[in-house]
Amino acid sequence: MPVDVIVVGAGASGLACAARLHNAGARVVVLEARDRIGGRIRTAVDGFELGAQVVHGAANPVHDLVATVPLARDTPAYVVSGGARQPMGTLARRPNPPWSIEPALARLPGAGTVRDWLRGRDIAGAVVDEWLTQNWAAPPDFLDAAGLIARLEPDTGEFAVAGGFDRLATRLAANLDVRLNTPVETVTWRPGQVEAAGETAAAIVLTVPPPVIVRDMLKIDLPPRKVAAARALPLGDACCALITLGQDAPESAAAFDADGRLGFVRCEAGRPYALVVAKGPAAARVRADPTAGLYTALPWAGAVRHVDLADWGTDPWTTGAFTYPRPGNAPAHATWAEPVDNTVFFAGEATATTRPFVPAALRSGERAAEEVLRS
């Protein structure tokens, strides 16, 4: 039996879109290539996320869907620089500590790349470069200053999803027809009719990252402007690892590897895990050896029992962490979001110019659902 709408992708945007359509009475099927829901949400064990990490801000829509808990801001923090570990507070005694860059950029905006902005203020150094790379999945040379400012949000706290981020995906997927292990490799369509993976519908919502289409993982005939927009929206590289150790952590701590090997590392007292979250060039290093540099960041770590890797950069259905603000690509987000002939619709964080995390994905799914309903 034909459905009204096909949604491709069971990540946050696809599930939010399908839930809105389902609640409006539409017949919807969600097609997901993986054997799980969530997309770039993936909880390894409670408290350790291999995908989306943090609920940013008190106004985040995630709070309305699942229970959240504030993250402690007094956890001991360290920086690894020059092959040695020091308390993070040592950076506060230097000019321009890395966490001051984004607020300064918002107060004193400039044109060009973030690198241009840094040079104009005589700010340089590997620590600042790596900090920005780990926060934005690209180095300052490839970050647009105005685009980064547009994505900044007021600091109103950080939260975790109680029981793990996977609970958000489960909440959104309730009562939906989700078909796992169903990759959509080809979409054929004409106005008012779509076929994909054996399903027929009046409309389709694509939530896959743009590079999936650029690389022909999903083949679909789109107008040239849409193809050009997709090419302008690559994702930054990312690789995460949950390392199971032979002993429990003696303290809860976080470490920032300014040497570019591990990104951010975190552990919790009394639990035998170290979480590594790496973006940019550090992701390739973690991909090659997730434990390189681990004993500098966490000297107590001891034996490694197991490594659970989430390699977002080489995942063909993900291709990276999220779209980063490249110079000149701001119009591409809006173009990528535009429907085609009231038949092919688009959602996902790549359609938004706000902070490119779960809230952008949720809102994009709801926006696409409203477009479908109006059509």
Side-chain angles (χ1 to χ4, degrees):
M1 178 179 178
V3 297
D4 295 318
V5 186
I6 297 168
V7 175
V8 180
S13 58
L15 294 174
C17 179
R20 175 68 184 91
L21 292 168
H22 173 80
N23 292 338
R27 293 168 298 174
V28 187
V29 62
V30 182
L31 305 180
E32 169 57 51
R34 299 180 180 86
D35 61 359
R36 61 175 184 83
I37 61 173
R40 282 167 276 179
I41 292 171
R42 182 184 161 194
T43 301
V45 294
D46 184 12
F48 292 96
E49 306 285 353
L50 285 169
Q53 296 289 314
V54 176
V55 179
H56 296 274
N60 196 306
V62 172
H63 297 296
D64 298 326
L65 296 168
V66 289
T68 59
V69 293
L71 290 178
R73 293 195 166 185
D74 57 355
T75 301
Y78 302 92
V79 58
V80 175
S81 181
R85 188 180 86 152
Q86 309 167 58
M88 186 71 80
T90 60
L91 297 181
R93 295 191 287 272
R94 302 182 188 178
N96 305 303
W99 53 83
S100 71
I101 299 302
E102 291 172 8
L105 187 64
R107 290 193 307 271
L108 303 167
T113 67
V114 172
R115 174 70 71 207
D116 295 332
W117 186 92
L118 293 170
R119 285 173 178 158
R121 287 151 185 82
D122 294 323
I123 300 173
V127 173
V128 166
D129 283 7
E130 189 63 19
W131 182 273
L132 290 167
T133 300
Q134 292 310 315
N135 278 291
W136 296 98
D141 310 76
F142 300 103
L143 294 172
D144 180 65
L148 191 151
I149 292 168
R151 296 179 178 218
L152 293 175
E153 294 179 355
D155 182 5
T156 56
E158 293 182 328
F159 305 80
V161 176
F165 239 119
D166 278 356
R167 294 198 175 189
L168 175 64
T170 301
R171 167 73 172 78
L172 292 169
N175 303 316
L176 296 180
D177 181 2
V178 180
R179 314 277 177 83
L180 301 178
N181 299 303
T182 308
V184 176
E185 298 176 345
T186 302
V187 174
T188 58
W189 69 278
R190 63 176 185 267
Q193 183 173 324
V194 178
E195 293 184 11
E199 297 290 337
T200 302
I204 192 167
V205 181
L206 301 179
T207 73
V208 298
V212 171
I213 291 175
V214 172
R215 299 175 186 182
D216 279 340
M217 290 297 299
L218 188 159
K219 297 180 176 64
I220 182 172
D221 185 21
L222 293 175
R225 74 180 189 283
K226 298 288 288 188
V227 176
R231 294 187 184 281
L233 296 170
L235 278 65
D237 196 9
C239 189
C240 301
L242 184 69
I243 303 172
T244 303
L245 303 165
Q247 63 186 47
D248 292 343
E251 66 171 348
S252 294
F256 161 54
D257 189 343
D259 289 342
R261 292 176 298 180
L262 289 177
F264 291 108
V265 186
R266 186 172 67 83
C267 62
E268 291 183 6
R271 304 186 72 186
Y273 304 114
L275 177 68
V276 176
V277 179
K279 304 183 188 76
R285 298 184 181 103
V286 170
R287 186 175 295 126
D289 184 356
T291 64
L294 178 66
Y295 300 103
T296 303
L298 304 177
W300 56 267
V304 171
R305 302 299 188 196
H306 179 71
V307 176
D308 187 0
L309 202 68
D311 191 348
W312 303 109
T314 64
D315 183 326
W317 299 107
T318 303
T319 75
F322 45 78
T323 53
Y324 56 90
R326 296 178 68 200
N329 78 345
H333 293 279
T335 301
W336 185 241
E338 294 173 0
V340 179
D341 286 339
N342 282 329
T343 303
V344 184
F345 298 82
F346 298 82
E349 58 84 16
T351 65
T353 55
T354 56
R355 199 168 179 89
F357 302 136
V358 173
L362 293 173
R363 292 175 181 129
S364 76
E366 293 171 354
R367 183 260 311 150
E370 295 298 333
E371 291 172 345
V372 173
L373 294 171
R374 286 196 300 269
S375 73

